[in-house]
């Protein structure tokens, strides 16, 4: 019953992030899965620990990741994004760097993000940086927000009317094995 509200709330956050007038630097340690990776992927630059785990396991529950379906192809290309979205597997931080999902690997990704900010962003005019962000992201924002609205509708109106999607989420919440009927 809470699915639509939760999805709309997550997508609202993602849209705010991609429309941010200033760069968002994301630090990733440990597991960054599902909605966590969807939020992280909305950032401008991702810094991850080598042993971080990044993935979209939703397909294992018979659902898909709407925001990731829009953001990951933009970050890492269609084929690599489809691998994560269709398989549900996770990448290490090193694999995520090689695939283009993250921008930098560091033992302390928060420190690396702050160092990047200090060296490459802080010295510049904040007002000019806002214009640079707007110029660089204008078409990206239009593409992703329009696609996200369509994909959210597909999720809520199409996917959530299937037996397997409801069964997968119910089984997950009840901590039991799902009984797929492929419908």
């Amino acid at each position: 019953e809470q699915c639509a509200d939760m999805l709309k709330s997550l997508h609202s956050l993602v849209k705010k992030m991609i429309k941010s007038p200033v760069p968002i630097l994301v630090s990733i340690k440990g597991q960054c899965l599902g909605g966590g990776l969807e939020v992280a992927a909305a950032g401008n630059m991702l810094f991850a620990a080598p042993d971080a785990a990044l993935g979209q396991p939703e397909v294992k529950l018979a659902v898909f990741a709407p925001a990731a379906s829009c953001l990951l192809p933009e970050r890492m290309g269609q084929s690599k994004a489809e691998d994560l979205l269709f398989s549900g597997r996770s990448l290490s931080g090193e694999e995520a760097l090689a695939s283009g999902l993250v921008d930098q690997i560091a033992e302390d990704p928060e420190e690396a993000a702050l160092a990047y900010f200090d060296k490459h962003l802080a010295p510049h005019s904040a007002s000019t940086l806002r214009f640079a962000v707007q110029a660089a992201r204008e078409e990206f924002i239009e593409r992703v927000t329009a696609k996200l609205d369509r994909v959210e509708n597909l999720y809520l109106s199409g996917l959530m009317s299937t037996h397997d999607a409801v069964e997968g989420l119910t089984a997950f919440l009840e901590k039991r094995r799902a009984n797929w009927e492929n419908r």
Side-chain angles (χ1 to χ4, degrees), residues 33-177:
L33 306 172
L37 182 53
E38 290 181 299
V39 170
N44 296 83
M45 294 190 71
L46 279 60
F47 299 77
D51 60 349
L54 299 91
Q56 297 297 157
E58 289 86 345
V59 72
K60 296 176 181 180
L61 302 178
V63 295
F64 67 90
S69 298
C70 302
L71 294 167
L72 295 186
E74 296 276 347
R75 287 201 65 84
M76 58 194 304
Q78 192 69 33
S79 178
K80 291 175 184 172
E82 287 178 356
D83 172 38
L84 287 184
L85 295 165
F86 300 167
S87 71
R89 72 186 187 94
S90 296
L91 302 176
S92 68
E94 295 285 351
E95 291 171 312
L97 176 65
S99 74
L101 178 57
V102 301
D103 301 292
Q104 188 176 335
I105 294 295
E107 288 299 325
D108 186 341
E110 182 178 356
E111 183 179 294
L114 292 171
Y116 179 90
F117 174 82
D118 289 341
K119 182 176 181 179
H120 298 291
L121 301 179
H124 304 304
S125 160
S127 64
T128 299
L129 190 56
R130 284 184 178 88
F131 283 105
V133 169
Q134 181 181 351
R137 292 181 73 89
E138 184 177 1
E139 288 183 19
F140 168 80
I141 292 167
E142 290 174 16
R143 268 193 324 274
V144 172
T145 56
K147 183 178 179 184
L148 188 53
D149 290 341
R150 293 189 308 269
V151 171
E152 180 180 298
N153 185 55
L154 175 67
Y155 189 99
L156 294 173
S157 299
L159 177 70
M160 290 312 297
S161 67
T162 68
H163 169 274
D164 286 355
V166 174
E167 169 62 12
L169 294 174
T170 302
F172 175 75
L173 292 173
E174 294 176 355
K175 299 187 185 334
R176 64 172 172 80
R177 187 179 179 109

